[in-house]
Amino acid sequence: MLIKIPSVSLARESEVTPEATYLSRRRFLGAMGGLASLSLVPGRALAERYAGVEAAQAPTWFDKKLTSARWQSMVPGDEALTPFKDATRYNNFYEFGPNKGDPARHAAQFKAEPWTVTIDGEVVKPGQFSLEEFCLPHQLEERIYRLRCVEAWSMVIPWLGFPLSDLLKRAEPTAQAKYVRFETLVDPQRMVGQRSGFSLIDWPYIEGLRLDEAMHPLTLMAVGMYGRVLPAQNGAPLRLVVPWKYGFKSIKSIVRISLTSAQPKTTWESLAPNEYGFYANVNPEVDHPRWSQAQERRLPSSLFSPNIIPTRMFNGYDEVAGLYAGLDLRKNY
Ligand SMILES: Nc1nc2c(c(=O)[nH]1)N[C@H]1C(S)=C(S)[C@@H](COP(=O)(O)O)O[C@H]1N2
Ligand SMILES: [Mo]
């Protein structure tokens, strides 16, 4: 079968509206980045940081958890947060359509509750959980991460969630568990992109990680962003965030997490194996067959102010390099 992948390039940038006043333009003081910067941020500072953020009504359990969340006091490096508007209007979420503006439009009516998550496969304690049960044991923490899409654009997004490792430890992976496979909801009634006959994707959207990647402290299960509950277009109510990998690894609206002994077949790898690999680590030295990965467009960007910056190895998260010692990253792209 001949598959046609929609082509993307640095030049295709029609949907981002530059806006003047963004609190997210503000730089946060301090030199430290990453996990070391987690701290209690005063409520007033947070309210200011996330002023103007519009979010759906959150479930009660989420609001309760929010009061004890650990907030990150600053953006890593000296980078600015991507404005909430860009992060919620420029999306890839094929379940809601193929264009960047489709998810915001078509996910508006999406109800993320009730939601059931299944954990199964190579675990001692499999189970089915409501989202509330699933999140109950975990403290919410904020992680401000760069998100680098394989299409060579990027954002800086403040997520709210908990480490995937905490969740996996509770399920107790067996000795056979080597990979983690994630599955997105299939519901054509609620996800218009799954109704269309034009879709390239064989639903459900599937992603996967090696178990050690899944257990890395940077790997996050997100239930919120910008201090609020996750918007539908960003993968409500539960998504993965793997900041050193291309964005397509960060699977949205997860309903099943399975521990497996074999490497899972992932959606993009199945669609175009020469273009999208299982690892998908951000790597400026390994180009996509159809475009360079050496640079990226940091959003917001416009025709007159494209905001092109160099792409960093592992998206700047050097601490993961040890996971790939001895692995040929050209072959294992
Ligand atoms: N289920 C699902 N998850 C998905 C996608 C998708 O189409 N379906 N797109 C991926 C891609 S390509 C990117 S870049 C990110 C975008 O996340 P964001 O819209 O929150 O920025 O989600 C990823 N997760
Ligand atoms: Mo992406």
Side-chain angles (χ1 to χ4, degrees), residues 115-147:
W115 194 265
T116 306
V117 188
T118 302
I119 302 189
D120 60 9
E122 292 293 345
V123 286
V124 177
K125 295 178 176 163
Q128 274 204 334
F129 307 89
S130 71
L131 188 68
E132 180 177 358
E133 291 168 332
F134 190 79
C135 297
L136 212 60
H138 307 285
Q139 185 185 20
L140 290 187
E141 50 186 275
E142 181 170 61
R143 299 283 185 92
I144 303 178
Y145 284 158
R146 288 179 286 273
L147 176 92

Side-chain angles (χ1 to χ4, degrees), residues 49 72 74-76 81 142-146 156-158 317:
R49 191 194 288 181
Q72 192 167 327
M74 63 208 73
V75 180
L81 288 190
E142 181 170 61
R143 299 283 185 92
I144 303 178
Y145 284 158
R146 288 179 286 273
V156 178
I157 299 182
Y317 299 96

Side-chain angles (χ1 to χ4, degrees), residues 78-294:
D78 190 24
E79 296 171 66
L81 288 190
T82 299
F84 179 76
K85 280 189 179 163
D86 294 290
T88 53
R89 292 183 190 179
Y90 189 88
N91 301 100
N92 274 334
F93 199 170
Y94 283 75
E95 283 82 346
F96 292 106
N99 300 312
K100 296 288 183 285
D102 289 341
R105 233 183 343 265
H106 298 309
Q109 305 301 319
F110 185 78
K111 291 249 179 305
E113 298 265 337
W115 194 265
T116 306
V117 188
T118 302
I119 302 189
D120 60 9
E122 292 293 345
V123 286
V124 177
K125 295 178 176 163
Q128 274 204 334
F129 307 89
S130 71
L131 188 68
E132 180 177 358
E133 291 168 332
F134 190 79
C135 297
L136 212 60
H138 307 285
Q139 185 185 20
L140 290 187
E141 50 186 275
E142 181 170 61
R143 299 283 185 92
I144 303 178
Y145 284 158
R146 288 179 286 273
L147 176 92
R148 171 52 160 89
C149 176
V150 73
E151 298 163 349
W153 52 263
S154 64
M155 306 193 194
V156 178
I157 299 182
W159 303 104
L160 272 168
F162 52 88
L164 175 60
S165 62
D166 289 357
L167 180 95
L168 295 178
K169 282 179 208 152
R170 286 181 171 271
E172 294 180 27
T174 69
Q176 276 70 49
K178 298 283 183 290
Y179 297 88
V180 187
R181 178 185 181 278
F182 303 87
E183 202 177 298
T184 295
L185 176 73
V186 180
D187 188 346
Q189 296 283 337
R190 292 151 80 197
M191 295 176 143
V192 68
Q194 294 179 334
R195 260 181 265 163
S196 132
F198 298 108
S199 178
L200 307 157
I201 295 176
D202 188 13
W203 314 106
Y205 192 102
I206 305 288
E207 258 311 332
L209 295 172
R210 238 169 44 189
L211 186 58
D212 59 343
E213 298 177 318
M215 295 299 286
H216 193 279
L218 286 175
T219 306
L220 195 73
M221 293 302 290
V223 291
M225 63 191 246
Y226 296 81
R228 306 292 297 273
V229 74
L230 207 55
Q233 61 266 41
N234 295 91
L238 179 75
R239 74 173 292 172
L240 181 69
V241 184
V242 195
W244 71 93
K245 292 179 179 283
Y246 291 122
F248 67 85
K249 298 296 288 183
S250 292
I251 180 172
K252 296 174 169 179
S253 304
I254 295 167
V255 292
R256 184 184 294 269
I257 300 174
S258 310
L259 284 280
T260 65
S261 54
Q263 183 175 307
K265 260 265 170 257
T266 62
T267 292
W268 286 98
E269 197 192 1
S270 310
L271 268 174
N274 61 325
E275 302 192 3
Y276 309 102
F278 175 80
Y279 280 92
N281 292 318
V282 175
N283 188 341
E285 285 160 26
V286 178
D287 287 337
H288 185 280
R290 291 183 280 123
W291 60 86
S292 164
Q293 294 293 25

Side-chain angles (χ1 to χ4, degrees), residues 289-307:
R290 291 183 280 123
W291 60 86
S292 164
Q293 294 293 25
Q295 294 181 314
E296 65 202 52
R297 222 167 14 90
R298 173 63 53 85
L299 269 63
S301 106
S302 68
L303 210 53
F304 303 107
S305 174
N307 203 16

